[in-house]
Amino acid sequence: MVVQEPAALAEVLAHRVVSAGQRALDARGSLSIALPGGSVAAAFFPRLAAAAFDWRQAHFFWVDERAVPPGDPESNYGAARALWLAPAGVPDARVHRMRGEAADLEGEARACEAELRRALGDPPVLDVALLGVGPDGHVASLFPGHRLLEETARRAAALDDAPKPPPRRLTLTLPALSAARLVVVAAFGAGKADVVRQALEAPASPLPLARLARAAGASLFLLDAEAAGALRR
């Protein structure tokens, strides 16, 4: 757990992701990263794009996507392309996006899972999964009490009943996220303090963030002072 201001956390994240990336390339000759959208993208992606690392070697996936076209302001892919992928010169062949504009989201979820397995093996294991968290404790598009939290087989899924707009989304599941060699969770602001506390200090919490933290083999929490404010000192 690292508690600093977002600008300093971006430096920490860049160092950790570059280090993990180089280890992955040295060990397996490949690197895979799953990306979020939202405040994490805005806070971290420009710094990552500027890191002294050849991101053209990495394969980029997404932890979730809204059911919108890639040019929509709500598109997680669109944010990543503008803030990281395009500035870093990542070729399209390395970009494995979730097609949120697909009419058949269930079919697209199956295609996303097939692409994960094709690129990463079976079962697919990401090198880095980068996530934000909502004030309700949701990660990716896995929401408290949702049926997808109980998914054990599928690595990607569609939903049409997300409790925040838009309701139609694609998401990686807990088995896909928790299998990552490094899970990074970033949280800013007092509104995240209670769910961060539950994830780190409440062993029986049913929140998606807490379940992911328990299941992950290696995790890094990047918090500002407000998000860490409810933790025991």
Side-chain angles (χ1 to χ4, degrees), residues 101-189:
E101 74 277 18
D104 178 7
L105 283 190
E106 293 289 349
E108 177 62 14
R110 291 191 294 272
C112 289
E113 176 159 355
E115 182 67 4
L116 280 169
R117 295 183 189 277
R118 184 197 67 77
L120 305 180
D122 191 4
V125 178
L126 292 156
D127 290 301
V128 180
L130 177 58
L131 298 124
V133 58
D136 61 353
H138 83 265
V139 291
S141 284
L142 300 171
F143 294 90
H146 197 276
R147 65 187 183 283
L148 286 181
L149 289 174
E150 307 311 319
E151 180 63 52
T152 59
R154 291 181 295 171
R155 267 42 181 187
L159 63 160
D160 60 8
D161 56 353
K164 60 179 293 187
R168 299 179 71 243
R169 296 165 177 248
L170 293 157
T171 187
L172 298 187
T173 60
L174 280 179
L177 295 171
S178 63
R181 295 181 175 93
L182 176 63
V183 173
V184 181
V185 176
F188 312 133

Side-chain angles (χ1 to χ4, degrees), residues 50-69:
F53 188 82
D54 184 3
W55 296 114
R56 295 173 298 178
Q57 302 175 91
H59 287 273
F60 290 90
F61 297 86
W62 273 260
V63 299
D64 72 333
E65 183 58 277
R66 302 172 176 104
V68 297

Side-chain angles (χ1 to χ4, degrees), residues 177-217:
L177 295 171
S178 63
R181 295 181 175 93
L182 176 63
V183 173
V184 181
V185 176
F188 312 133
K192 314 290 179 67
D194 184 60
V195 295
V196 167
R197 178 194 61 79
Q198 290 194 51
L200 296 176
E201 297 181 354
S205 172
L207 290 181
L209 177 61
R211 293 181 62 162
L212 176 61
R214 290 196 296 267

